[in-house]
Amino acid sequence: MNIIKLFRNSLPILILLSGIMQSYAQYQVRATVIDEEGQPEEYATYRIFEMPDTIHQIIGKVTDSDGLIDAPLAKAGDYRILISAITKSPLTIDFTVNNQQPVADLGIVNTELAEETLNEVTITAQRPLVTKEIDRIGYDVQADGDASTSNLREILKKVPLVSVDEEGNIKVNGSDNFKIYRNGRPNNAFTKNAKDIFAAIPASTIKKIEVITDPGAREDAESSGVILNIVTTSTVSMSGITGNIGLNYQTNFGPQANAFIMTQIKKFTLSASGGYYKYLKNTVKGTQDSHMEFDSTGDILDTYSTFQAGGSGGWFNVEGSLELDTLNLITTSVNGFIGKNSNDFQSNSTMINSLGETLYSYDFNSYYRKNGYTDVDFSLDYQRSTRLKGEAITLSYRLSHTRQDQDKTVDYFILQGDPFPYSYNLSDFDLKFFEHTFQLDWNRPLGSHFNLDTGGKYILRTSHSINHQDLGEIGQTYDDFKHTYNIFGIYADARASFGKFSARAGLRYEYSRLQADFLTGNQEDFHANLNDVVPNASVAWNASNESMLKLSYSRRIQRPGISYLNPAVEISPTDISFGNPDLKSSTYDNLLLNYSYIKPKFNLDLTLSLRTSNNGMGQIKWTDDNITYNTYGNSLHDRQATFSLYFLWQITDKTSWMVNGELAWERYTLGKGVDKIKNSLLTGYYYTRIQQKLPWNLTLSLSSNYFSGWINSLYNYTVNPAQNISYSIGLRRSFLNDRLDVSVSAANLGIHSRVSHSYAINAGRTGYNFSSQQPRQQVIIGLNLRFGNLRAQVKKTDKSISNDDLQGRKNN
């Protein structure tokens, strides 16, 4: 009924908009002008004459940044178009428009160098690394000299509002709750495995990185209100076929390999990329020393563990585009990640009472017999442009699939006492996730100052998990849980621009119905209906060509994934964990104030952001008889304030200095009055780099970064000691006319281990966990070879599917 009522109320607006849509010209000429390398011919001049008059032009304009010609014609007839560009030979094309063919689509028009051009003319300009729009900050990776030999994870340290700690954990605007896109489309392989994949992707294949700070209603971002969009290179040097091959070896990580290739056959363009990495098990190892005191009994549990970790993974992406003509575009992509990890623990635990007497002690060994994860996405988009410049209708379909398979063994060896009645725990977990999304988007300019986006989508989301546990002497448990979501959504997003001011506002409405089925019959099936309204608004003032001040507000929703809903119980001697099938959507409100100043040799960006939620989704813990119980709830109060600073200074033509840092405060609270518990922490982060160009085409880089800590949940926080400050020094050089890049770097020489201090509070127990991981020092050698000589571009539709509301899709 809600959808029918909303549609009935919106019908007059839709009728009005459809009337406006009929106001475009009846006759039209279209073409795309490109140079001899396939690049758009920006600002080429074109003149149109009505035949047989070839002297008096009726239209005189220039192409846009995409080399597009899009001109209305007053009447049917024969015409001639003359196209000219600097250093290029002029082109003349005759065409006809009539009632049977009102649009003259000239397709791709290639320009050629003139035989006689000026010599010895060199124009040098430095494009800024950072760009700014009303809803996002962009970092031009191709303009960064380090891109030829760095991986994506290293480049991210230089991006405003992004922080990367020494382990590779990524935060955006002070939060690890964000989504990652690839070329404007959500990429679950990136989102769930960024720490590993980004260390293996060469930055040379990345065009730019966008931090979408103010996602509109069409993007439907999750609770953090931030999207990290990785835009791959659309133009790479090649002829017929092109690409690059990269090899990398890190002494504390292992080997990595990657490849990228692109080719073009007439109107069809195809690109493929992929990579592989391997953690060597004996290179990642460490110790953990844990101390936990229980409030109700005064007993103390001490645990000492040693561990070693390893794993391997591969990622792939294939994209294709078929441009039937300048009005019709079909795109498709397949991407994914396949990986497996191993974590072997050997531990000793001892429980003592307040008098120092040993109550019990035991050893245990924990290892995975199988721990695999697969994530695959397929998308298909069709975009139809109209004769009105900037108007497009897009139909999209997306299939997303996740498979997780874990088989874990824990063997217990009782040394003293009788702490629990079993000697082993065998657990087998299997998760399957499918998501089908159908979407329609319509984008239309309304005059020269307004733009309107509207659309709707339907999502069918199913999750199925099977959890089998064998607790030795006390028996087995078996849970078979299926969860289904049906989601219907519509949105409208409007933008306006007047002189130095620009504004944006949007509204999304979503109706969702969820169904939970307990196939083993251990609980009663249930269903629920949810209604969510998500508004957003922003306004920006361009005080000058260099500076912008922006204020924005947004609300985000977050739905629980199957690992949060699954009621299957996982048991260990000290913990019992289970999901909560009664979870509902959470809402988060975000307020952001940003100032940016961008010049070719100096960039400054300052951001203050606030986030609040009164029904946040998160962990709920309590302790009973020295056992800690873990589940999830919607009752968290979350407050966060983050101040971010970024600047880049090109001191001389050979020397540059950049700083990327943030100061963040976050607080979680639960309950009221005397039962209220809270956890708050003030943290900081910085990354700084000095780069110097040397003789013999060498580039020297010095960098340092540090993360002071973070809040893990209402019940835990982590503080990093000052010894975790890291540093690195690197050299790179290009060979073979810049086709081969070689780099050598060393980090943290003389520092053997990284130490982390985590503290447990609330939940009826307090304590700490001090961990040490080795090795910390590393040497990295990288090679990157580019081949081919073609300029091609796998085109993307202006709109595509974005589902970013789900938390807990992967069982971590």
Side-chain angles (χ1 to χ4, degrees):
M1 293 299 295
N2 290 325
I3 296 177
I4 296 174
K5 182 178 179 180
L6 185 64
F7 177 78
R8 184 174 63 247
N9 294 336
S10 304
L11 189 58
I13 299 176
L14 295 175
I15 295 174
L16 176 61
L17 291 176
S18 66
I20 297 174
M21 188 176 176
Q22 304 302 319
S23 62
Y24 51 75
Q26 184 178 0
Y27 303 102
Q28 202 90 359
V29 58
R30 278 177 168 268
T32 300
V33 185
I34 61 176
D35 61 19
E36 70 282 354
E37 294 185 337
Q39 291 292 286
E41 194 71 79
E42 298 183 60
Y43 311 120
T45 301
Y46 65 90
R47 295 181 292 161
I48 300 177
F49 303 87
E50 185 177 2
M51 300 295 286
D53 185 354
T54 59
I55 298 177
H56 303 95
Q57 68 182 34
I58 60 172
I59 294 176
K61 293 184 177 181
V62 296
T63 59
D64 62 11
S65 59
D66 295 322
L68 182 64
I69 295 174
D70 188 356
L73 301 170
K75 59 183 179 179
D78 298 324
Y79 294 89
R80 172 173 292 177
I81 185 170
L82 177 64
I83 304 171
S84 59
I86 298 175
T87 75
K88 306 298 173 62
S89 299
L91 295 171
T92 301
I93 303 174
D94 294 336
F95 63 92
T96 301
V97 293
N98 50 44
N99 292 334
Q100 289 73 37
Q101 187 178 349
V103 178
D105 193 337
L106 306 182
I108 304 297
V109 178
N110 292 88
T111 61
E112 297 181 356
L113 284 171
E115 294 182 1
E116 295 184 3
T117 59
L118 293 175
N119 295 321
E120 304 298 333
V121 175
T122 301
I123 300 175
T124 302
Q126 181 178 349
R127 68 191 193 202
L129 282 170
V130 179
T131 58
K132 199 67 182 292
E133 298 180 40
I134 190 172
D135 61 342
R136 68 194 63 197
I137 297 172
Y139 185 83
D140 190 341
V141 179
Q142 293 298 299
D144 187 333
D146 289 339
S148 61
T149 54
S150 296
N151 60 45
L152 176 55
R153 197 165 78 182
E154 288 300 311
I155 290 294
L156 276 173
K157 295 179 180 178
K158 307 178 184 182
V159 178
L161 300 180
V162 179
S163 59
V164 183
D165 70 12
E166 194 173 350
E167 286 189 323
N169 299 303
I170 302 169
K171 290 179 179 288
V172 180
N173 200 28
S175 173
D176 56 8
N177 186 14
F178 62 93
K179 285 293 183 178
I180 300 177
Y181 283 11
R182 190 182 193 277
N183 296 325
R185 296 182 176 94
N187 190 297
N188 292 309
F190 279 11
T191 300
K192 301 299 182 184
N193 308 278
K195 177 181 175 180
D196 297 327
I197 295 180
F198 284 5
I201 294 180
S204 59
T205 64
I206 307 301
K207 180 179 181 181
K208 64 179 177 178
I209 300 170
E210 295 179 333
V211 181
I212 304 177
T213 58
D214 185 27
R218 72 185 184 198
E219 271 109 357
D220 186 27
E222 66 168 323
S223 62
S224 65
V226 180
I227 294 171
L228 189 63
N229 185 30
I230 309 298
V231 182
T232 56
T233 53
S234 57
T235 55
V236 286
S237 178
M238 62 187 212
S239 179
I241 191 170
T242 187
N244 63 264
I245 298 174
L247 299 174
N248 186 286
Y249 185 84
Q250 300 184 31
T251 55
N252 68 343
F253 185 88
Q256 304 167 42
N258 56 77
F260 171 81
I261 192 169
M262 179 183 286
T263 187
Q264 188 172 25
I265 304 173
K266 295 183 178 180
K267 295 185 176 182
F268 180 71
T269 305
L270 179 69
S271 72
S273 60
Y276 173 81
Y277 69 88
K278 184 175 181 61
Y279 286 104
L280 302 179
K281 181 179 290 187
N282 60 353
T283 63
V284 181
K285 55 187 178 180
T287 63
Q288 292 183 1
D289 187 4
S290 175
H291 176 88
M292 193 72 66
E293 183 172 352
F294 299 92
D295 298 345
S296 60
T297 62
D299 296 341
I300 296 174
L301 177 66
D302 286 321
T303 302
Y304 180 79
S305 306
T306 62
F307 67 89
Q308 58 181 1
S312 60
W315 56 273
F316 65 91
N317 184 81
V318 179
E319 291 186 334
S321 65
L322 176 61
E323 190 173 22
L324 303 175
D325 51 45
T326 55
L327 297 177
N328 296 278
L329 174 65
I330 298 174
T331 68
T332 186
S333 70
V334 180
N335 61 79
F337 171 78
I338 301 174
K340 60 180 181 179
N341 295 296
S342 63
N343 295 282
D344 297 348
F345 275 81
Q346 296 81 40
S347 299
N348 170 264
S349 294
T350 302
M351 182 75 78
I352 62 176
N353 60 23
S354 58
L355 300 177
E357 301 169 335
T358 300
L359 299 180
Y360 64 81
S361 67
Y362 65 92
D363 290 347
F364 72 87
N365 296 330
S366 169
Y367 60 93
Y368 284 101
R369 297 192 301 272
K370 181 169 51 178
N371 185 15
Y373 178 79
T374 302
D375 209 329
V376 179
D377 291 318
F378 167 78
S379 65
L380 179 65
D381 302 283
Y382 167 68
Q383 179 176 288
R384 167 68 181 181
S385 300
T386 71
R387 286 172 286 179
L388 176 64
K389 183 178 180 180
E391 182 178 38
I393 298 174
T394 306
L395 296 173
S396 304
Y397 167 73
R398 180 168 175 260
L399 169 64
S400 182
H401 171 59
T402 296
R403 172 72 185 275
Q404 189 174 0
D405 192 2
Q406 291 181 346
D407 195 350
K408 185 178 180 180
T409 296
V410 183
D411 294 318
Y412 300 98
F413 307 95
I414 308 301
L415 304 179
Q416 182 177 342
D418 188 19
F420 42 86
Y422 50 90
S423 59
Y424 65 86
N425 184 350
L426 306 179
S427 62
D428 190 356
F429 175 79
D430 188 13
L431 166 67
K432 295 178 182 178
F433 172 90
F434 286 93
E435 183 178 77
H436 300 270
T437 304
F438 302 86
Q439 184 164 319
L440 170 66
D441 296 286
W442 174 33
N443 173 257
R444 178 179 172 84
L446 301 175
S448 59
H449 299 288
F450 295 94
N451 191 85
L452 177 65
D453 284 330
T454 60
K457 71 177 178 181
Y458 164 68
I459 305 172
L460 173 59
R461 179 182 292 161
T462 60
S463 303
H464 187 191
S465 70
I466 298 176
N467 194 353
H468 178 215
Q469 278 199 98
D470 182 354
L471 289 170
E473 291 78 359
I474 67 172
Q476 301 182 7
T477 63
Y478 183 81
D479 293 278
D480 192 344
F481 177 59
K482 185 177 181 180
H483 184 259
T484 304
Y485 253 126
N486 286 276
I487 304 170
F488 302 86
I490 57 174
Y491 77 89
D493 188 274
R495 300 191 186 200
S497 178
F498 296 95
K500 294 184 177 182
F501 290 91
S502 56
R504 182 182 186 182
L507 185 68
R508 173 181 289 273
Y509 166 77
E510 291 195 350
Y511 165 80
S512 56
R513 177 180 175 85
L514 62 90
Q515 175 73 38
D517 299 309
F518 302 92
L519 303 183
T520 49
N522 56 351
Q523 293 195 46
E524 185 178 351
D525 298 343
F526 75 94
H527 70 273
N529 301 316
L530 305 174
N531 293 276
D532 295 293
V533 177
V534 185
N536 75 282
S538 59
V539 60
W541 174 48
N542 290 281
S544 64
N545 293 331
E546 295 84 15
S547 62
M548 174 190 287
L549 183 66
K550 185 187 78 170
L551 177 66
S552 66
Y553 161 79
S554 63
R555 170 173 288 181
R556 298 287 171 249
I557 62 174
Q558 190 176 82
R559 299 186 181 94
I562 191 170
S563 64
Y564 282 42
L565 295 162
N566 189 358
V569 179
E570 295 185 16
I571 299 175
S572 76
T574 58
D575 293 88
I576 296 178
S577 303
F578 50 91
N580 178 7
D582 295 324
L583 287 175
K584 302 296 189 297
S585 299
S586 297
T587 59
Y588 294 78
D589 293 295
N590 304 273
L591 190 65
L592 183 143
L593 179 65
N594 173 264
Y595 172 76
S596 61
Y597 183 80
I598 300 175
K599 297 194 73 173
K601 292 190 176 183
F602 185 81
N603 295 341
L604 175 66
D605 191 275
L606 304 173
T607 301
L608 176 63
S609 62
L610 305 174
R611 187 186 73 192
T612 179
S613 175
N614 293 321
N615 64 343
M617 193 185 311
Q619 282 187 317
I620 305 296
K621 290 177 177 280
W622 68 94
T623 299
D624 186 13
D625 196 20
N626 294 349
I627 301 295
T628 301
Y629 293 81
N630 305 267
T631 187
Y632 301 95
N634 285 112
S635 51
L636 289 181
H637 290 247
D638 180 10
R639 304 290 186 268
Q640 184 187 69
T642 303
F643 174 73
S644 301
L645 163 70
Y646 172 90
F647 81 80
L648 172 65
W649 181 20
Q650 189 71 36
I651 302 173
T652 69
D653 292 339
K654 296 183 178 182
T655 308
S656 66
W657 177 36
M658 67 88 61
V659 172
N660 189 14
E662 70 179 25
L663 191 65
W665 174 82
E666 187 167 13
R667 185 185 69 179
Y668 290 108
T669 60
L670 178 67
K672 296 181 179 180
V674 295
D675 296 325
K676 183 177 181 179
I677 58 175
K678 67 178 181 178
N679 188 11
S680 62
L681 190 66
L682 179 66
T683 61
Y685 165 84
Y686 81 85
Y687 172 82
T688 183
R689 182 211 64 184
I690 296 177
Q691 185 169 283
Q692 177 70 44
K693 294 183 179 180
L694 302 175
W696 304 295
N697 202 27
L698 288 169
T699 301
L700 172 68
S701 296
L702 302 172
S703 65
S704 174
N705 72 296
Y706 172 66
F707 232 134
S708 70
W710 54 86
I711 287 185
N712 305 91
S713 69
L714 178 64
Y715 307 95
N716 300 87
Y717 65 91
T718 298
V719 176
N720 285 324
Q723 72 184 75
N724 279 5
I725 295 175
S726 65
Y727 73 92
S728 67
I729 179 171
L731 279 173
R732 62 177 171 84
R733 193 182 192 280
S734 297
F735 301 89
L736 304 178
N737 295 322
D738 293 334
R739 288 180 177 266
L740 175 65
D741 295 312
V742 180
S743 67
V744 179
S745 65
N748 307 315
L749 296 181
I751 305 176
H752 299 287
S753 61
R754 184 185 63 83
V755 178
S756 178
H757 295 171
S758 296
Y759 297 89
I761 60 174
N762 302 322
R765 81 283 186 274
T766 56
Y768 61 81
N769 187 321
F770 292 169
S771 65
S772 175
Q773 181 174 313
Q774 300 176 353
R776 192 174 175 211
Q777 55 189 0
Q778 65 176 346
V779 176
I780 305 172
I781 301 174
L783 301 175
N784 191 71
L785 175 65
R786 291 178 290 276
F787 59 87
N789 189 31
L790 163 72
R791 299 269 182 179
Q793 178 177 1
V794 178
K795 295 182 177 292
K796 287 90 178 178
T797 55
D798 295 334
K799 304 290 185 300
S800 189
I801 290 171
S802 161
N803 298 335
D804 307 310
D805 56 309
L806 191 63
Q807 178 169 319
R809 167 175 165 181
K810 179 179 178 182
N811 188 62
N812 294 310

